[in-house]
Amino acid sequence: MNSSKKYTPTESELEILQILWNKGEATVRDVHDELEKVKDTGYTTTLKMMQIMTEKGVVERDTTTRTHVYKPLFSRELAQKNFLKKMLNGLFKGSETRLAMGALDQKKPSEQEIKEIKDFLKQFEEQ
Amino acid sequence: MNSSKKYTPTESELEILQILWNKGEATVRDVHDELEKVKDTGYTTTLKMMQIMTEKGVVERDTTTRTHVYKPLFSRELAQKNFLKKMLNGLFKGSETRLAMGALDQKKPSEQEIKEIKDFLKQFEEQ
DNA sequence: CTTGCATTACGAAATATTTCGTATTACTTT
DNA sequence: AAAGTAATACGAAATATTTCGTAATGCAAG
């Protein structure tokens, strides 16, 4: 059994992270103005969300100025990698060198495995 | 504003879908036995989960035999595409032809956009 | 300075997800 | 056919996520 729980952003957190990733850093106002274009929730909701993300250590904030400035600590790349890993986990069902148990962290995948991963990714490439 | 909400599997649903995708179809017992290797929850939890997924239309089940057999209706490819889309949404921040608003569904991305997408995907390919 | 405005803080309600206990039902074994 | 076993049904508790109302605070304009 395995109970290493790695952080995955929730739906809402991901939306906020997207904006932070794009802007590099932003205030709650910045983020909320963006969010509003796509989603229809109040300002304090966004604020609270970002406060929670701060607690979780997903973002950090500079509180020296009155208007706090937030930066992502969880990178876009990591989000992608984590998702990819999650998908690959399901892929290596029978394989003895089960990536499934988090091997992707510890050992290098084999040639064969790399090939499979590439095939898996190919679909995104064709047109 | 936009409020078209497309289904995204929750964390737990995804775990179950992984197994169903691999097996093609499976009973609750099958799924639970797999799940147990990785997670430590009771049988009825898995059952309930799969029942809910049935209600949501994420899976379907054959109830002709006593032991129900479940099949995924939500494909691995779609899960990937949705995630990818979500990531791309954040990528086309300023672009006039904002993929952000779900354009990926409706119109073909431009040459330029395709290039950006490919670049984005490249990181997964290098070794 | 004091009024108004934008911000953060915070608690708690609303909602969604995950978990499981208990009951019921069907099949199998004795 | 009775007892045991394994499955589904279902309600509801536990937990996690999302939402927002209200209050407190600081800044800026009058």
Side-chain angles (χ1 to χ4, degrees):
Chain A
M1 228 263 306
N2 174 2
S3 30
S4 73
K5 41 186 96 173
K6 37 188 160 299
Y7 165 75
T8 332
T10 67
E11 231 21 48
S12 288
E13 285 175 351
L14 191 55
E15 290 174 327
I16 290 173
L17 280 171
Q18 296 285 12
I19 295 167
L20 289 177
W21 287 331
N22 282 338
K23 296 189 181 296
E25 59 174 45
T27 65
V28 176
R29 174 62 51 197
D30 292 337
V31 170
H32 182 250
D33 286 352
E34 277 301 312
L35 224 44
E36 230 175 8
K37 295 177 187 168
V38 158
K39 201 184 187 182
D40 141 65
T41 53
Y43 176 85
T44 54
T45 302
T46 306
L47 170 66
K48 181 67 168 187
M49 217 62 218
M50 291 176 75
Q51 284 171 345
I52 289 171
M53 290 168 80
T54 305
E55 281 169 22
K56 287 192 185 175
V58 182
V59 300
E60 69 178 353
R61 63 177 171 180
D62 179 347
T63 59
T64 55
T65 51
R66 161 143 170 66
T67 307
H68 300 175
V69 178
Y70 290 75
K71 280 184 195 173
L73 288 179
F74 182 78
S75 76
R76 178 176 260 149
E77 287 65 35
L78 190 53
Q80 289 159 0
K81 197 200 275 183
N82 281 170
F83 179 78
L84 185 60
K85 201 190 294 178
K86 211 179 288 179
M87 281 307 192
L88 293 174
N89 283 348
L91 221 55
F92 289 85
K93 35 169 181 180
S95 141
E96 285 180 345
T97 54
R98 278 191 131 235
L99 286 195
M101 306 281 88
L104 204 53
D105 286 328
Q106 292 148 16
K107 60 189 278 290
K108 240 178 153 167
S110 72
E111 282 299 310
Q112 170 58 14
E113 284 166 342
I114 289 183
K115 184 186 174 318
E116 290 187 65
I117 293 173
K118 283 193 177 173
D119 289 345
F120 165 81
L121 291 174
K122 199 149 288 169
Q123 71 179 289
F124 291 141
E125 281 213 312
E126 32 207 45
Q127 249 297 341
Chain B
M1 230 262 307
N2 174 3
S3 31
S4 73
K5 40 187 96 173
K6 36 189 163 300
Y7 165 76
T8 331
T10 65
E11 234 17 52
S12 287
E13 286 176 352
L14 191 55
E15 289 174 327
I16 290 174
L17 279 171
Q18 297 284 12
I19 294 168
L20 288 177
W21 287 331
N22 282 337
K23 294 190 181 298
E25 58 175 45
T27 65
V28 175
R29 174 61 53 196
D30 292 337
V31 170
H32 183 249
D33 285 353
E34 277 301 312
L35 223 45
E36 231 175 9
K37 295 178 187 168
V38 157
K39 201 184 184 181
D40 138 68
T41 53
Y43 175 85
T44 54
T45 302
T46 306
L47 171 65
K48 181 67 170 187
M49 217 63 218
M50 291 175 75
Q51 286 171 343
I52 289 171
M53 289 168 79
T54 305
E55 283 169 21
K56 287 193 188 175
V58 182
V59 302
E60 69 178 355
R61 61 177 173 183
D62 180 347
T63 59
T64 55
T65 50
R66 160 140 170 70
T67 307
H68 300 175
V69 179
Y70 290 75
K71 280 183 195 174
L73 289 179
F74 182 79
S75 76
R76 179 176 258 151
E77 286 67 33
L78 191 54
Q80 289 159 1
K81 197 201 274 186
N82 281 171
F83 179 78
L84 185 59
K85 200 189 297 177
K86 213 178 287 178
M87 280 308 193
L88 292 175
N89 282 350
L91 222 55
F92 290 86
K93 35 170 180 172
S95 139
E96 284 180 346
T97 55
R98 280 191 132 234
L99 284 195
M101 307 283 82
L104 205 52
D105 286 328
Q106 293 148 15
K107 62 188 279 289
K108 243 179 153 168
S110 71
E111 282 299 311
Q112 171 57 14
E113 284 166 343
I114 289 183
K115 185 186 174 314
E116 289 187 64
I117 293 173
K118 283 193 176 172
D119 289 346
F120 166 82
L121 292 173
K122 199 148 287 169
Q123 71 182 287
F124 291 142
E125 280 213 313
E126 31 206 47
Q127 251 296 342

